[in-house]
Amino acid sequence: MEAVLKLENVSKKIGKKTIIDNLSLSVQPGEVFGFLGPNGAGKTTTIRMIVGLMKITQGDIAICGKSIQKDFEEAVSHIGAIVENPEMYKHLTGYQNLVQYARMHKGVSKERINEVIQSVGLTNRINEKVKTYSLGMRQRLGLAQCLLHEPKLLILDEPTNGLDPAGIREIRDQLRTLTKEKGMSVIVSSHLLSEMEMMCDRIAIIQNGRLVDVQNVKDFLDTDQLAFVVETGPLDNSVTWLKEDWGVEILENGFSVLARKEEIPALLKRLIDSGVDLYGAKQVSKSLEDRFLEITDMAGGQING
Ligand SMILES: Nc1ncnc2c1ncn2[C@@H]1O[C@H](COP(=O)(O)OP(=O)(O)OP(=O)(O)O)[C@@H](O)[C@H]1O
Ligand SMILES: [Mg+2]
């Protein structure tokens, strides 16, 4: 399948400063792809280059196979995006805003406008002025705007900023529907791993303008086998079942075992019943969060730049 988005060795320099450094990645049809990184990492800059709001210094970006530099109009016609704050006319109603926006694209029918309003859940308030809208309602209208022309790639920069948990959940559900039912691809950015984990199929970790890692979220969520280290007193022949039933690896002060979390209590109980001194058990396999903190060293929360 052709990638919906392909970044090839993309760099951005402003003055002497390298803001994006040789970034390469691709996004497949139907996936939710996350840009995850601390403040100042370069998420918005990358997005601005993808949507054509900012020139690329080096490298190229292709959208549905079309170069943003050589076939600008066709390339961006496949994109719907909200970068930072969506532009809206606050003195007009939500509906009037959508009509304005629809004019910028060919062939957006009245039916399409209504369909989009329905899908973002704004039917009841669409004829009120945007200045009376809450933040969440503005987000919905922003989403409606960029869905009008049925883009292949939807890009949302920090879509959950300022939303309450219910709003966040709704965005998540909407993205699922758009990708899994309509086959659209979505890029979202955030500095919050917990959100990204729930929303994305894959996550690119960006730091200091570089791509540090791309993680498949499923690899973390689907593995039910976790690694545990169990610290014990001496293990003698009375616990041969440890190796036979559990396939443990004997260590100096105990053993390590691969198991599902729910299985651990039974294992520990049987150990105690066998008269083994038990000092402790801990999970050692890395969660995505451990990995993320390790990679980005964000624990200190400093802004890079
Ligand atoms: N026009 C500009 N001129 C100079 N530096 C810039 C410009 N735009 C962005 N930068 C710098 O580029 C770096 C990346 O900024 P960017 O806005 O892309 O980060 P971000 O990952 O979106 O951060 P946040 O999570 O805070 O939104 C920052 O150090 C920023 O100060
Ligand atoms: Mg940003």
Side-chain angles (χ1 to χ4, degrees):
M1 252 192 295
E2 184 186 49
V4 172
L5 174 73
K6 197 161 187 182
L7 269 68
E8 271 177 303
N9 307 105
V10 172
S11 293
K12 176 71 191 178
K13 292 196 177 88
I14 299 184
K16 281 191 181 148
K17 207 168 148 199
T18 299
I19 295 182
I20 299 299
D21 191 4
N22 209 27
L23 198 64
S24 296
L25 54 86
S26 58
V27 176
Q28 301 305 316
E31 79 173 332
V32 181
F33 191 91
F35 287 171
L36 176 66
N39 294 138
K43 306 179 293 292
T44 300
T45 305
T46 305
I47 290 173
R48 293 175 75 89
M49 287 192 285
I50 297 171
V51 301
L53 286 171
M54 203 182 232
K55 273 217 159 73
I56 303 167
T57 310
Q58 255 165 47
D60 199 8
I61 295 176
I63 299 137
C64 301
K66 297 289 168 191
S67 159
I68 188 102
Q69 301 182 106
K70 293 187 207 106
D71 296 301
F72 180 82
E73 297 230 335
E74 185 169 357
V76 296
S77 74
H78 297 297
I79 302 180
I82 307 181
V83 187
E84 278 147 6
N85 292 312
E87 306 267 325
M88 284 165 198
Y89 301 103
K90 298 204 171 66
H91 60 284
L92 299 182
T93 67
Y95 190 82
Q96 288 166 330
N97 266 275
L98 289 181
V99 169
Q100 286 293 333
Y101 207 78
R103 284 199 192 131
M104 293 193 248
H105 300 282
K106 275 190 213 123
V108 178
S109 63
K110 263 207 174 116
E111 290 71 39
R112 175 66 190 158
I113 296 178
N114 289 328
E115 188 181 295
V116 167
I117 292 167
Q118 171 108 44
S119 81
V120 301
L122 266 184
T123 310
N124 293 334
R125 307 288 300 266
I126 200 66
N127 290 314
E128 291 173 33
K129 288 188 172 165
V130 168
K131 65 183 178 193
T132 69
Y133 280 13
S134 71
L135 179 65
M137 292 162 68
R138 280 176 209 192
Q139 300 264 34
R140 287 165 195 242
L141 186 62
L143 186 59
Q145 280 183 350
C146 55
L147 288 176
L148 280 178
H149 63 296
E150 302 188 65
K152 297 238 166 52
L153 175 62
L154 178 67
I155 304 180
L156 306 173
D157 193 12
E158 310 260 359
T160 56
N161 248 359
L163 291 189
D164 60 19
I168 292 174
R169 196 191 168 131
E170 234 168 89
I171 288 251
R172 222 163 57 212
D173 293 346
Q174 262 169 3
L175 296 189
R176 287 257 153 257
T177 314
L178 289 170
T179 51
K180 307 307 170 234
E181 286 170 24
K182 316 245 157 161
M184 194 181 279
S185 303
V186 181
I187 292 177
V188 286
S189 79
S190 172
H191 55 276
L192 293 175
L193 174 73
S194 51
E195 255 170 37
M196 296 294 258
E197 242 177 331
M198 290 191 277
M199 217 164 359
C200 301
D201 300 307
R202 285 195 300 149
I203 298 177
I205 299 173
I206 297 174
Q207 194 185 25
N208 288 329
R210 289 195 197 101
L211 180 69
V212 190
D213 202 3
V214 178
Q215 295 282 344
N216 213 325
V217 174
K218 262 213 178 123
D219 289 348
F220 285 87
L221 302 184
D222 282 358
T223 52
D224 36 25
Q225 296 276 312
L226 300 167
F228 293 86
V229 167
V230 182
E231 196 186 337
T232 66
L235 297 167
D236 57 27
N237 286 337
S238 65
V239 289
T240 49
W241 56 268
L242 261 180
K243 267 202 157 160
E244 284 155 16
D245 297 357
W246 295 83
V248 308
E249 187 183 332
I250 304 292
L251 307 170
E252 206 173 324
N253 300 313
F255 59 88
S256 67
V257 62
L258 279 176
R260 280 184 291 120
K261 201 163 185 161
E262 314 84 83
E263 295 174 321
I264 295 299
L267 168 62
L268 297 182
K269 185 164 184 304
R270 192 162 168 198
L271 265 184
I272 293 169
D273 290 347
S274 306
V276 172
D277 290 330
L278 180 63
Y279 295 104
K282 71 173 183 206
Q283 189 186 317
V284 290
S285 53
K286 287 186 169 31
S287 69
L288 186 51
E289 180 158 28
D290 293 333
R291 180 109 182 88
F292 177 58
L293 289 176
E294 188 182 276
I295 290 168
T296 60
D297 192 24
M298 268 178 67
Q302 77 282 13
I303 294 175
N304 301 288

